[in-house]
Amino acid sequence: MTRRTLVLGGARSGKSAHAEGLLTDPVVTYVATARRYDGDADWDRRIARHVERRPDTWTTVETQDLATLLGTAPAVPLLVDDLSTWLVNVLDDAGAWESDDTDAVDLACDGLVEAARAFRGRLVVVSAEVGLGVVPSTRSGRLFRDHLGRLNARLAEVCDEVLLLVAGIPLTLREAGGTGP
């Protein structure tokens, strides 16, 4: 049985909707990592659309502390959506955009990977795939791409199944019980 699935994809690839479809249990905890911003009506509408398509029996938890949540969550399936917004917030909180010191970011990523490895329930994690584009021209773009790329690779190592969504089509990179195509 697949316990941990990593669903990767580019912007608007269908990764979130596909990840939601992987969980058929009536009770699921949906872990939303996006922060809400006062006065950003567009962002609020995007979040509302995500909420509307989920079953009423699902519980939504908004948190940045993914490692603690994974370590204390009950045995219901968890869907984490998504790691790119989580990482932006971690970079913000660490002041990493303006500093060369990313130790706090590395610690947060280490904690998340270890918590995912130790989690014993069904886990589906959504993340943006950043390895298919050009090298960003800004320091902040490279910082984000490098950290998210490493985080995705580390999570892929601890997941039983890894999928990549392209144009709404899921491509299996690793099947449960296998090592990939």
Side-chain angles (χ1 to χ4, degrees), residues 86-115:
W86 175 81
L87 181 61
V88 165
N89 296 327
V90 169
L91 289 161
D92 282 346
D93 293 346
W97 302 115
E98 297 84 26
S99 169
D100 289 332
D101 182 5
T102 59
D103 290 347
V105 176
D106 294 335
L107 284 172
C109 291
D110 291 347
L112 174 57
V113 171
E114 188 50 43

Side-chain angles (χ1 to χ4, degrees), residues 3-180:
R3 281 200 358 243
R4 291 178 297 265
T5 301
L6 177 61
V7 179
L8 301 166
R12 313 306 299 163
S13 64
K15 62 188 176 291
S16 293
H18 185 80
E20 291 167 10
L22 294 175
L23 296 170
T24 58
D25 303 74
V27 176
V28 171
T29 298
Y30 182 97
V31 183
T33 64
R35 287 186 179 153
R36 295 178 186 267
Y37 301 100
D38 288 338
D40 191 339
D42 177 62
W43 191 242
D44 289 341
R45 282 191 297 275
R46 287 173 179 262
I47 290 172
R49 281 194 301 271
H50 270 253
V51 171
E52 288 169 5
R53 75 173 181 227
R54 294 194 294 262
D56 292 338
T57 57
W58 287 23
T59 301
T60 300
V61 174
E62 295 182 14
T63 187
Q64 294 300 299
D65 194 357
L66 295 180
T68 298
L69 179 72
L70 289 173
T72 60
V76 300
L78 281 176
L79 189 152
V80 177
D81 193 4
D82 93 359
L83 291 187
S84 59
T85 55
W86 175 81
L87 181 61
V88 165
N89 296 327
V90 169
L91 289 161
D92 282 346
D93 293 346
W97 302 115
E98 297 84 26
S99 169
D100 289 332
D101 182 5
T102 59
D103 290 347
V105 176
D106 294 335
L107 284 172
C109 291
D110 291 347
L112 174 57
V113 171
E114 188 50 43
R117 178 191 324 271
F119 188 71
R120 295 295 169 218
R122 176 72 169 108
L123 177 64
V124 177
V125 179
V126 178
S127 188
E129 174 52 54
V130 291
L132 301 174
V134 298
V135 175
S137 62
T138 64
R139 179 192 177 280
S140 59
R142 290 186 298 272
L143 179 74
F144 174 76
R145 186 232 20 219
D146 292 350
H147 277 279
L148 188 59
R150 283 192 300 269
L151 179 58
N152 287 345
R154 292 180 64 202
L155 279 170
E157 289 177 4
V158 302
C159 286
D160 308 303
E161 178 179 52
V162 181
L163 305 172
L164 174 66
L165 269 282
V166 178
I169 300 169
L171 305 171
T172 301
L173 303 180
R174 175 183 300 130
E175 290 181 327
T179 58

